[in-house]
């Protein structure tokens, strides 16, 4: 009986030894993941997100879960991005603004010419005063907040100024929502210099986390269940640009002379806000006319 126990004991020791080899002999993956499966090592514009902080991880998780389950809007912004991002990306690069800021446009407007209750308009959601300050024209006939290229350039000018002021792209992004003066005041009051240490209004507190969540989900859409085939994405329609240096009294008639109708003209030039376009001496506009996409 003692011999049997001894043999059993030897077998147990061998099994334990081999088990420990397999457990500790394999290199472990130290990557930390959130409960829903995304990597907690994140950055915005190259600036690390301190997900080791309990509140930061929870705020990020809230936005990830919200946008993963907001299927209608998330699906639409992924489809629209295929058409809009190729226009935004080179302009960001031209001004030295990190590519991550294209996701700021996503959370501002869902990549459409939205109108906010406060009066902000366009993909980048400019208020009238800020738009004019950044060189955009706003009148009864023209509103360049609806001009994607010009509004993107204006957004870049703002963000570059904010980065120079704060020394941080994360704070620059937060100031796009909370205002430079507003963020500066909160930093002084609370005696901190990092976005993730600031106690802000709910909207500005969520702002960067919403950008982070959309960046993660849109850049890895299949991982999060948004498997959209290429043919289902939205594509840009080829256009030609016509320089206009004299007034157009009737845009509907003008559209006909260009082989399109009023609706199509307005779709491709949403900055035209009236039925006519008055061109003052020395002024010029570029109007886009689609060359295909509307005929059988």
């Amino acid at each position: 009986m003692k011999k049997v126990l001894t043999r059993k004991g030897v077998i147990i020791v061998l099994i334990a030894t081999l088990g420990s080899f397999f457990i500790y002999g394999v290199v472990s993956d130290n990557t930390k993941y959130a409960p829903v499966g995304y990597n907690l090592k994140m950055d915005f514009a190259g600036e690390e997100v301190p997900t080791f902080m309990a509140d930061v991880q929870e705020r990020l998780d809230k936005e990830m879960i919200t946008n993963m389950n907001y299927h209608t809007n998330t699906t639409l912004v992924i489809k629209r991005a295929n058409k809009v991002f190729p226009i935004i990306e080179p302009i960001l690069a031209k001004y030295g603004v990190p590519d991550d800021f294209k996701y700021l446009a996503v959370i501002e407007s869902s990549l459409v010419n939205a109108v906010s209750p406060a009066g902000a308009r366009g993909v980048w959601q400019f208020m009238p005063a800020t738009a004019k300050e950044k060189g955009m024209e706003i009148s009864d006939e023209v509103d360049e907040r609806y001009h994607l290229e010009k509004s993107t350039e204006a957004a870049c000018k703002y963000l570059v100024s904010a980065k120079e002021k704060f020394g941080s792209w994360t704070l620059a992004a937060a100031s796009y929502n909370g205002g430079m003066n507003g963020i500066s005041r909160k930093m002084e009051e609370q005696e901190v210099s990092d976005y993730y240490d600031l106690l802000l209004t709910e909207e500005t507190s969520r702002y960067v986390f919403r950008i982070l969540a959309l960046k993660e989900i849109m850049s890895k859409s299949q991982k999060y269940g948004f498997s959209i085939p290429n043919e289902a994405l939205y594509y840009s329609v080829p256009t030609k640009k016509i320089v206009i240096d004299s007034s157009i009294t009737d845009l509907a008639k003008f559209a006909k002379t260009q082989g399109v109708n009023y609706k199509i003209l307005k779709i491709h030039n949403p900055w035209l806000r009236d039925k006519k376009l008055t061109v003052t001496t020395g002024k010029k506009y570029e109007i886009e006319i689609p060359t295909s996409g509307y005929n059988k």
Side-chain angles (χ1 to χ4, degrees), residues 10-57:
V10 170
I11 292 168
I12 291 169
V13 170
L14 284 170
I15 291 171
T17 303
L18 288 169
S20 65
F21 172 78
F22 285 114
I23 293 170
Y24 298 105
V26 177
V27 178
S28 60
D29 181 3
N30 293 321
T31 304
K32 293 183 178 179
Y33 290 89
V36 294
Y38 58 89
N39 191 339
L40 285 173
K41 187 176 182 180
M42 285 191 184
D43 72 89
F44 175 72
E47 298 171 3
E48 186 177 354
V49 181
T51 51
F52 59 85
M53 296 170 64
D55 73 304
V56 169
Q57 187 176 146

Side-chain angles (χ1 to χ4, degrees), residues 141 244 246-255 262 274-279:
E141 294 183 6
I244 303 297
S246 59
S247 296
I248 300 172
T249 56
D250 189 326
L251 285 171
K253 289 181 179 178
F254 169 79
Y262 183 71
D274 204 341
K275 296 177 182 178
K276 65 182 186 300
L277 176 64
T278 304
V279 183

